[in-house]
Amino acid sequence: MKKNRDCDLKTCFLCQHAIPEWLSAVAANRRHQAFKKGEMLFREGEPATGIYFLYDGKVKVHKQWGPEKELIIRLAKKGDILGHRGFGSDQRLYPVSATALEDGTYCYVNNAFFEASLKVNPALTYRLMQFYAAELQEAEKKMRNLVHMDVKSRLADALLEISRVYGDKQFTINRQDLASLAGATYETIYRTLQDFTQQGLIEAEGKSITILQEKKLRQLLTAAL
Amino acid sequence: MKKNRDCDLKTCFLCQHAIPEWLSAVAANRRHQAFKKGEMLFREGEPATGIYFLYDGKVKVHKQWGPEKELIIRLAKKGDILGHRGFGSDQRLYPVSATALEDGTYCYVNNAFFEASLKVNPALTYRLMQFYAAELQEAEKKMRNLVHMDVKSRLADALLEISRVYGDKQFTINRQDLASLAGATYETIYRTLQDFTQQGLIEAEGKSITILQEKKLRQLLTAAL
DNA sequence: CGCATTATTGACCCGAATCAAATGAGGTGG
DNA sequence: CCACCTCATTTGATTCGGGTCAATAATGCG
């Protein structure tokens, strides 16, 4: 089985929910593509031409603010969907950018085909709707957190999320991305990270971070409430 | 035509997209209900039993933080959907509360019936999905704004949004809600509002606010960028 | 007419952004 | 191999927006 050319039914959202009659059509219309760390899959403000199914690798979804500032909206991992935010708007521009945090592969289909899929496959539409609903909940929770929690709690939250996405207590991330994820500046994150290290909550050397006391990090979240 | 008992096809999302064969079923399963200003339609953390279609009146959707603090996620008006955030999660608890800002009416159907509707009516599912997508975009934009804009800009944004929802440059809202919408404290909003008034951008007397210079308010947003 | 909210304003404080500078780490070309 | 440049890391000093607290005035309201 050619792993790089064929969709793994277990990981690709589209194939997972494709009706049998459409599997060949899906195969004909999708485009598999490898990408490198740092590469932008799509850019905020560009016309939304299609939708991406992340096959492998981690990707950050972020929104720009001015020339220097950004906010990381979400981290995506294997099996996640990207570019779906273009749907529902009139203009069909990507409202966010997607940048690879590591090498990986995606599966792309253009909007026309994807919409056709949705039309003939209500179950797919239904699942996608659920996916949106879940994302919406996450977004709104994060919204509240950004307003009401201090940086320390937001950083704890960010670390736990990264750990969850990577499926490991140890992971690699640069400080700037960490700052953008927590919604704070580089310097502040640097200091807070140092604080956490001194308290023995985490271990940080270089870009590698290990969570030592997950429980205490979680307490920071609930304590802020 | 009994206005209070029957869904206006033009305003109710559910009826608007119902397939003809189901119109009678919809009629049988929906529950129309009047509500009073200040009444809570549903409460964050409660089991999500169903979905609400706002027939008349304005409703705030908000998320609690601690005993005293809240963040208004969104304002809903005639034709909007409420309680749809319960979908997609495992637990099926409302992740937000909904409180009436004025008297109104809603149309309610329980989850079981609504899900059945979605199953037999792909067009409805598709439209709902688009609705979610639009909400998601809004939420994420707001997220970024809350992080990167100062209070002055956030208040300008909030005022413009209220004006848009109410379809009028003049509207009524209490300061506390305004604060929760802009993600700031009562006092800060009070002062900033005073500032705007002195600059002649708005006129405020009591709970009534009139936008005088919409253009300048918008400039506050783009200027922050 | 007292009591309870809500409005209004001032003073203070603090978290975190900003600014600035020093240090270190890699990469490149001479 | 060294000089040089660029870029990330590290740390200190300073500033400031806005949250918190408190005190008074005003406005209901039973």
Side-chain angles (χ1 to χ4, degrees):
Chain A
M1 185 188 238
K2 291 170 291 181
K3 262 200 152 185
N4 280 332
R5 305 297 313 156
D6 293 305
C7 241
D8 177 350
L9 291 179
K10 294 285 192 285
T11 44
C12 168
F13 188 89
L14 180 60
C15 296
Q16 205 178 127
H17 299 96
I19 50 181
E21 308 88 72
W22 270 61
L23 274 175
S24 61
V26 168
N29 279 88
R30 74 180 174 224
R31 176 164 61 80
H32 273 249
Q33 183 92 38
F35 56 81
K36 289 281 177 196
K37 176 177 178 175
E39 189 176 323
M40 289 184 87
L41 307 195
F42 52 85
R43 217 173 279 265
E44 182 177 353
E46 279 180 357
T49 59
I51 196 159
Y52 299 72
F53 301 93
L54 195 53
Y55 187 78
D56 196 30
K58 309 282 187 294
V59 172
K60 64 172 175 177
V61 176
H62 50 112
K63 218 169 160 61
Q64 212 62 31
W65 185 253
E68 291 295 315
K69 295 179 185 175
E70 67 168 18
L71 178 70
I72 295 182
I73 299 291
R74 148 181 182 256
L75 296 177
K77 62 173 192 303
K78 176 196 283 201
D80 282 342
I81 309 175
L82 294 165
H84 56 286
R85 286 165 177 75
F87 266 71
S89 69
D90 353 296
Q91 310 204 45
R92 287 289 182 90
L93 302 179
Y94 290 119
V96 295
S97 303
T99 305
L101 294 175
E102 47 185 52
D103 295 357
T105 324
Y106 63 75
C107 168
Y108 170 93
V109 299
N110 67 46
N111 278 327
F113 178 75
F114 188 59
E115 275 178 65
S117 294
L118 292 173
K119 296 282 186 200
V120 299
N121 187 350
L124 176 64
T125 312
Y126 187 76
R127 294 283 293 114
L128 186 63
M129 190 204 67
Q130 288 188 311
F131 175 75
Y132 273 118
E135 289 257 304
L136 190 57
Q137 277 199 35
E138 273 308 303
E140 289 174 344
K141 182 149 67 80
K142 190 159 182 175
M143 227 165 92
R144 187 200 54 185
N145 289 353
L146 285 170
V147 174
H148 291 305
M149 298 199 319
D150 60 14
V151 168
K152 194 177 278 196
S153 304
R154 297 209 302 270
L155 177 56
D157 194 32
L159 290 172
L160 290 169
E161 182 183 340
I162 299 172
S163 172
R164 188 180 54 74
V165 168
Y166 279 69
D168 195 339
K169 287 192 187 306
Q170 177 166 352
F171 47 83
T172 297
I173 189 151
N174 76 47
R175 305 284 149 94
Q176 186 51 62
D177 281 342
L178 202 47
S180 299
L181 193 56
T185 59
Y186 180 93
E187 291 96 323
T188 301
I189 288 301
Y190 176 82
R191 287 181 235 259
T192 311
L193 220 42
Q194 216 171 230
D195 184 28
F196 282 0
T197 306
Q198 273 168 1
Q199 288 183 48
L201 302 182
I202 62 168
E203 204 172 66
E205 42 185 295
K207 294 183 198 301
S208 171
I209 294 179
T210 311
I211 293 182
L212 297 177
Q213 302 199 252
E214 186 178 336
K215 193 168 289 179
K216 288 204 175 171
L217 281 182
R218 288 198 192 289
Q219 281 171 12
L220 274 181
L221 299 187
T222 49
L225 185 108
Chain B
M1 186 188 239
K2 291 170 292 181
K3 262 202 152 184
N4 281 333
R5 302 299 311 158
D6 292 306
C7 242
D8 177 350
L9 292 178
K10 292 285 193 284
T11 44
C12 167
F13 189 90
L14 181 60
C15 295
Q16 206 180 125
H17 300 96
I19 50 181
E21 309 87 72
W22 271 60
L23 274 175
S24 61
V26 169
N29 278 89
R30 76 180 171 223
R31 177 164 61 80
H32 273 250
Q33 184 91 38
F35 57 81
K36 289 282 178 195
K37 175 177 178 174
E39 190 177 322
M40 289 184 87
L41 306 194
F42 53 85
R43 217 173 279 266
E44 184 177 352
E46 279 180 357
T49 59
I51 196 161
Y52 298 73
F53 300 94
L54 194 54
Y55 188 78
D56 197 29
K58 309 281 186 295
V59 172
K60 64 172 174 177
V61 176
H62 50 111
K63 217 168 162 60
Q64 213 64 31
W65 184 252
E68 291 294 316
K69 295 179 186 175
E70 67 168 18
L71 178 69
I72 296 182
I73 300 289
R74 148 182 183 253
L75 296 177
K77 61 172 193 302
K78 175 196 285 199
D80 282 341
I81 309 175
L82 294 166
H84 56 285
R85 286 166 178 74
F87 266 69
S89 69
D90 355 295
Q91 311 205 42
R92 286 289 181 90
L93 303 178
Y94 290 118
V96 295
S97 303
T99 305
L101 294 175
E102 48 186 51
D103 295 357
T105 323
Y106 63 74
C107 169
Y108 170 94
V109 298
N110 66 47
N111 277 329
F113 178 75
F114 187 60
E115 276 179 62
S117 294
L118 292 174
K119 296 281 186 201
V120 300
N121 188 350
L124 176 63
T125 311
Y126 187 75
R127 294 283 293 113
L128 187 63
M129 189 205 67
Q130 287 187 312
F131 175 75
Y132 273 117
E135 289 257 302
L136 189 58
Q137 277 199 34
E138 273 308 304
E140 290 175 343
K141 183 149 66 84
K142 191 159 182 174
M143 227 163 94
R144 187 199 54 184
N145 289 352
L146 286 170
V147 174
H148 291 305
M149 298 198 319
D150 59 13
V151 168
K152 194 177 277 196
S153 304
R154 297 209 301 270
L155 178 57
D157 194 32
L159 290 172
L160 291 169
E161 181 182 341
I162 300 170
S163 173
R164 187 180 56 73
V165 168
Y166 279 70
D168 196 340
K169 286 191 187 308
Q170 178 166 352
F171 48 83
T172 298
I173 190 150
N174 76 49
R175 305 284 150 93
Q176 185 51 62
D177 281 342
L178 202 47
S180 300
L181 192 56
T185 59
Y186 180 94
E187 291 96 321
T188 301
I189 288 301
Y190 177 83
R191 289 180 233 258
T192 312
L193 219 43
Q194 216 171 230
D195 185 29
F196 282 1
T197 306
Q198 274 167 1
Q199 289 184 46
L201 302 182
I202 61 166
E203 205 171 65
E205 43 185 294
K207 295 182 199 299
S208 172
I209 293 179
T210 311
I211 293 181
L212 297 179
Q213 303 198 253
E214 186 178 334
K215 192 168 290 179
K216 287 204 178 171
L217 282 181
R218 288 199 191 288
Q219 279 170 12
L220 274 181
L221 298 187
T222 48
L225 185 106

Coordinates of all heavy atoms in Angstrom, one line a residue, chain A residues 25-74:
Chain A
A25 N -14.2 8.9 -6.6 CA -14.2 10.3 -6.9 C -13.3 11.1 -6.0 O -12.6 12.0 -6.4 CB -15.7 10.8 -6.8
V26 N -13.4 10.7 -4.7 CA -12.5 11.4 -3.8 C -11.1 11.2 -4.2 O -10.3 12.1 -4.2 CB -12.8 10.8 -2.3 CG1 -11.7 11.3 -1.4 CG2 -14.1 11.2 -1.8
A27 N -10.8 9.9 -4.5 CA -9.4 9.6 -4.9 C -9.0 10.4 -6.1 O -7.8 10.9 -6.2 CB -9.3 8.1 -5.2
A28 N -9.9 10.7 -7.0 CA -9.6 11.4 -8.2 C -9.4 12.9 -8.0 O -8.6 13.6 -8.6 CB -10.6 11.2 -9.3
N29 N -10.1 13.4 -7.0 CA -10.1 14.8 -6.8 C -9.2 15.4 -5.7 O -9.0 16.6 -5.6 CB -11.6 15.3 -6.5 CG -12.4 15.5 -7.7 OD1 -13.0 14.5 -8.2 ND2 -12.3 16.6 -8.3
R30 N -8.7 14.5 -4.9 CA -7.9 15.0 -3.8 C -6.4 15.1 -4.3 O -6.0 14.6 -5.3 CB -7.9 14.0 -2.6 CG -7.1 12.8 -2.9 CD -7.2 11.8 -1.7 NE -6.5 10.6 -2.1 CZ -7.0 9.4 -1.9 NH1 -8.1 9.2 -1.3 NH2 -6.3 8.3 -2.3
R31 N -5.7 15.9 -3.6 CA -4.3 16.1 -3.9 C -3.5 16.0 -2.6 O -3.7 16.7 -1.6 CB -4.1 17.5 -4.5 CG -2.7 17.9 -4.8 CD -2.7 19.1 -5.7 NE -3.3 20.3 -5.1 CZ -2.7 21.1 -4.2 NH1 -1.5 20.8 -3.8 NH2 -3.3 22.2 -3.7
H32 N -2.6 15.0 -2.6 CA -1.8 14.8 -1.5 C -0.5 15.7 -1.6 O 0.0 15.8 -2.7 CB -1.3 13.4 -1.4 CG -2.3 12.6 -0.6 ND1 -2.1 12.1 0.7 CD2 -3.6 12.2 -0.9 CE1 -3.1 11.4 1.1 NE2 -4.1 11.5 0.2
Q33 N -0.1 16.2 -0.5 CA 1.0 17.2 -0.6 C 1.9 17.1 0.7 O 1.3 17.2 1.7 CB 0.5 18.6 -0.8 CG 1.6 19.6 -1.0 CD 1.9 19.8 -2.5 OE1 1.0 19.8 -3.3 NE2 3.1 20.0 -2.8
A34 N 3.2 17.0 0.5 CA 4.0 17.1 1.6 C 4.4 18.5 1.9 O 4.4 19.3 1.0 CB 5.3 16.3 1.4
F35 N 4.6 18.9 3.1 CA 5.0 20.2 3.4 C 6.2 20.2 4.5 O 6.4 19.2 5.2 CB 3.8 21.1 3.9 CG 3.2 20.5 5.2 CD1 3.7 20.7 6.4 CD2 2.0 19.8 5.0 CE1 3.0 20.1 7.5 CE2 1.3 19.2 6.1 CZ 1.9 19.4 7.4
K36 N 6.9 21.3 4.5 CA 8.0 21.5 5.3 C 7.7 22.3 6.5 O 6.8 23.2 6.5 CB 9.2 22.1 4.6 CG 9.8 21.2 3.5 CD 10.8 20.3 4.2 CE 11.4 19.3 3.2 NZ 12.0 18.1 3.8
K37 N 8.4 22.1 7.6 CA 8.3 23.0 8.8 C 8.5 24.5 8.4 O 9.4 24.8 7.6 CB 9.4 22.6 9.8 CG 9.5 23.5 11.0 CD 10.6 22.9 12.0 CE 10.7 23.8 13.2 NZ 11.7 23.3 14.2
G38 N 7.6 25.3 8.9 CA 7.6 26.7 8.6 C 6.9 27.1 7.3 O 6.6 28.3 7.2
E39 N 6.5 26.2 6.5 CA 5.7 26.5 5.3 C 4.3 26.9 5.7 O 3.7 26.4 6.6 CB 5.7 25.2 4.4 CG 5.1 25.4 3.1 CD 5.2 24.1 2.2 OE1 6.2 23.4 2.4 OE2 4.3 23.9 1.5
M40 N 3.8 27.9 4.9 CA 2.4 28.3 5.1 C 1.5 27.5 4.2 O 1.6 27.7 2.9 CB 2.2 29.8 4.9 CG 2.9 30.6 6.1 SD 2.6 32.4 5.9 CE 1.1 32.5 6.7
L41 N 0.5 26.8 4.7 CA -0.4 26.1 3.8 C -1.4 27.1 3.1 O -1.6 26.9 2.0 CB -1.2 25.1 4.6 CG -0.4 24.1 5.5 CD1 -1.2 22.9 5.9 CD2 0.8 23.6 4.7
F42 N -1.8 28.0 3.9 CA -2.6 29.1 3.3 C -2.5 30.3 4.2 O -2.0 30.2 5.3 CB -4.1 28.7 3.1 CG -4.7 28.2 4.3 CD1 -5.3 29.0 5.2 CD2 -4.8 26.8 4.5 CE1 -5.9 28.5 6.4 CE2 -5.5 26.3 5.7 CZ -6.0 27.2 6.6
R43 N -2.9 31.5 3.6 CA -2.6 32.7 4.2 C -3.9 33.5 4.5 O -4.8 33.5 3.6 CB -1.7 33.5 3.3 CG -0.7 34.4 3.9 CD 0.2 34.9 2.9 NE 1.3 34.0 2.4 CZ 2.5 34.0 2.9 NH1 2.8 34.8 3.9 NH2 3.4 33.1 2.5
E44 N -4.0 34.1 5.6 CA -5.2 34.9 5.9 C -5.4 36.0 4.9 O -4.5 36.7 4.4 CB -4.9 35.6 7.3 CG -6.0 36.5 7.8 CD -5.6 37.1 9.2 OE1 -4.6 36.7 9.7 OE2 -6.4 37.9 9.7
G45 N -6.6 36.1 4.4 CA -7.0 37.1 3.4 C -7.0 36.6 2.0 O -7.5 37.2 1.1
E46 N -6.3 35.5 1.8 CA -6.3 34.8 0.4 C -7.7 34.2 0.1 O -8.4 33.8 1.1 CB -5.3 33.7 0.4 CG -3.9 34.1 0.2 CD -2.9 32.9 0.1 OE1 -3.4 31.8 0.3 OE2 -1.7 33.1 -0.1
P47 N -8.0 34.1 -1.1 CA -9.3 33.5 -1.5 C -9.2 32.0 -1.0 O -8.2 31.3 -1.2 CB -9.3 33.5 -3.0 CG -8.4 34.6 -3.4 CD -7.4 34.7 -2.3
A48 N -10.3 31.6 -0.4 CA -10.4 30.2 0.1 C -10.7 29.2 -1.0 O -11.9 29.2 -1.4 CB -11.4 30.1 1.3
T49 N -9.7 28.5 -1.5 CA -10.0 27.7 -2.7 C -10.4 26.3 -2.3 O -11.0 25.6 -3.1 CB -8.7 27.6 -3.5 OG1 -7.7 27.0 -2.7 CG2 -8.3 29.0 -4.0
G50 N -10.0 25.9 -1.1 CA -10.4 24.5 -0.8 C -10.1 24.2 0.7 O -9.9 25.1 1.5
I51 N -10.2 22.9 1.0 CA -10.1 22.5 2.4 C -9.0 21.4 2.5 O -8.7 20.7 1.6 CB -11.5 21.9 2.8 CG1 -11.7 21.8 4.3 CG2 -11.8 20.6 2.1 CD1 -13.1 21.8 4.7
Y52 N -8.4 21.5 3.7 CA -7.2 20.6 3.9 C -7.5 19.6 5.0 O -8.1 19.9 6.1 CB -6.1 21.5 4.4 CG -5.6 22.5 3.4 CD1 -6.4 23.6 3.1 CD2 -4.4 22.3 2.7 CE1 -5.9 24.6 2.2 CE2 -4.0 23.3 1.8 CZ -4.7 24.4 1.5 OH -4.3 25.4 0.7
F53 N -7.1 18.4 4.8 CA -7.2 17.3 5.8 C -5.8 17.0 6.2 O -5.0 16.5 5.4 CB -8.0 16.1 5.3 CG -9.4 16.5 4.9 CD1 -9.6 16.8 3.6 CD2 -10.4 16.6 5.8 CE1 -10.9 17.2 3.2 CE2 -11.7 17.0 5.4 CZ -11.9 17.3 4.1
L54 N -5.5 17.2 7.5 CA -4.1 17.0 7.9 C -3.8 15.5 8.1 O -4.5 14.9 8.9 CB -3.9 17.8 9.2 CG -2.4 18.0 9.6 CD1 -1.6 18.6 8.5 CD2 -2.3 18.9 10.8
Y55 N -2.9 15.1 7.4 CA -2.6 13.7 7.4 C -1.4 13.4 8.4 O -1.4 12.3 9.0 CB -2.2 13.2 6.0 CG -2.0 11.8 5.8 CD1 -3.1 11.0 5.6 CD2 -0.7 11.2 5.7 CE1 -3.0 9.6 5.5 CE2 -0.6 9.8 5.6 CZ -1.7 9.0 5.5 OH -1.5 7.7 5.3
D56 N -0.5 14.3 8.4 CA 0.6 14.1 9.3 C 1.3 15.4 9.6 O 1.3 16.3 8.8 CB 1.6 13.1 8.7 CG 2.6 12.6 9.8 OD1 2.1 12.5 11.0 OD2 3.7 12.3 9.5
G57 N 1.8 15.6 10.8 CA 2.5 16.8 11.2 C 1.6 17.7 12.0 O 0.4 17.5 12.1
K58 N 2.2 18.7 12.6 CA 1.4 19.7 13.5 C 1.4 21.0 12.8 O 2.4 21.4 12.2 CB 2.1 19.8 14.8 CG 2.4 18.5 15.6 CD 1.2 17.9 16.2 CE 1.5 16.7 17.1 NZ 2.0 15.6 16.3
V59 N 0.3 21.7 12.9 CA 0.1 22.9 12.2 C -0.5 23.9 13.1 O -1.4 23.6 13.9 CB -0.8 22.8 10.9 CG1 -1.1 24.1 10.3 CG2 -0.1 21.9 9.9
K60 N 0.0 25.2 13.1 CA -0.7 26.2 13.9 C -1.6 27.0 13.0 O -1.3 27.4 11.9 CB 0.4 27.1 14.6 CG 1.2 27.9 13.6 CD 2.1 28.9 14.4 CE 3.1 29.6 13.4 NZ 3.9 30.6 14.1
V61 N -2.8 27.4 13.6 CA -3.7 28.2 12.9 C -3.7 29.6 13.6 O -4.0 29.6 14.8 CB -5.2 27.6 12.9 CG1 -6.2 28.5 12.3 CG2 -5.2 26.2 12.2
H62 N -3.4 30.6 12.8 CA -3.2 31.9 13.5 C -3.7 33.0 12.8 O -4.0 33.0 11.6 CB -1.7 32.1 13.8 CG -0.8 31.9 12.6 ND1 -0.1 32.9 12.0 CD2 -0.5 30.7 11.9 CE1 0.6 32.4 11.0 NE2 0.4 31.1 10.9
K63 N -3.9 34.1 13.5 CA -4.6 35.3 13.0 C -3.6 36.5 13.2 O -3.1 36.6 14.3 CB -5.9 35.5 13.7 CG -7.0 36.0 12.8 CD -8.4 36.0 13.6 CE -9.4 36.9 13.0 NZ -9.7 36.6 11.6
Q64 N -3.4 37.3 12.2 CA -2.5 38.3 12.3 C -3.1 39.6 13.0 O -4.3 39.8 13.0 CB -2.0 38.7 10.9 CG -0.6 39.2 10.8 CD 0.4 38.1 11.3 OE1 0.2 36.9 11.1 NE2 1.5 38.6 11.9
W65 N -2.2 40.4 13.6 CA -2.6 41.7 14.2 C -1.5 42.6 14.0 O -0.5 42.5 14.7 CB -3.0 41.5 15.6 CG -3.6 42.8 16.2 CD1 -2.9 43.7 17.0 CD2 -4.8 43.4 15.9 NE1 -3.7 44.8 17.3 CE2 -4.9 44.7 16.6 CE3 -5.9 43.1 15.0 CZ2 -6.0 45.5 16.5 CZ3 -7.0 43.9 15.0 CH2 -7.0 45.1 15.7
G66 N -1.6 43.5 13.0 CA -0.5 44.4 12.7 C 0.6 43.6 12.1 O 0.4 42.5 11.7
P67 N 1.8 44.2 11.9 CA 2.8 43.6 11.2 C 3.5 42.5 12.1 O 4.0 41.5 11.6 CB 3.8 44.7 10.9 CG 3.5 45.8 11.9 CD 2.1 45.6 12.3
E68 N 3.5 42.7 13.4 CA 4.4 41.9 14.3 C 3.6 40.9 15.1 O 4.1 39.9 15.6 CB 5.2 42.8 15.2 CG 6.3 43.5 14.4 CD 7.4 42.6 13.8 OE1 7.8 41.7 14.5 OE2 7.7 42.8 12.6
K69 N 2.3 41.3 15.4 CA 1.6 40.5 16.4 C 0.7 39.4 15.8 O 0.1 39.7 14.8 CB 0.8 41.4 17.3 CG 1.6 42.3 18.2 CD 0.7 43.2 19.0 CE 1.5 44.2 19.8 NZ 0.7 45.2 20.5
E70 N 0.6 38.3 16.5 CA -0.4 37.3 16.0 C -1.0 36.6 17.2 O -0.5 36.7 18.3 CB 0.3 36.3 15.1 CG 1.3 35.4 15.8 CD 1.8 34.2 15.0 OE1 1.6 34.2 13.8 OE2 2.3 33.3 15.6
L71 N -2.0 35.9 17.0 CA -2.6 35.1 18.0 C -2.9 33.7 17.4 O -3.4 33.6 16.3 CB -4.0 35.7 18.5 CG -4.7 34.8 19.5 CD1 -4.0 34.9 20.9 CD2 -6.1 35.3 19.7
I72 N -2.3 32.7 18.1 CA -2.6 31.3 17.6 C -3.9 30.9 18.1 O -4.2 30.8 19.3 CB -1.5 30.4 18.1 CG1 -0.1 30.8 17.5 CG2 -1.8 28.9 17.7 CD1 1.0 29.8 17.9
I73 N -4.8 30.6 17.1 CA -6.2 30.3 17.4 C -6.3 28.8 17.9 O -7.1 28.5 18.8 CB -7.0 30.4 16.1 CG1 -7.0 31.8 15.6 CG2 -8.4 29.9 16.3 CD1 -7.7 32.8 16.4
R74 N -5.4 28.0 17.3 CA -5.6 26.6 17.5 C -4.4 25.8 17.0 O -3.8 26.2 16.0 CB -6.9 26.2 16.8 CG -7.0 24.8 16.2 CD -8.4 24.6 15.6 NE -8.5 23.3 15.1 CZ -8.4 23.0 13.8 NH1 -8.2 23.9 12.9 NH2 -8.5 21.7 13.4

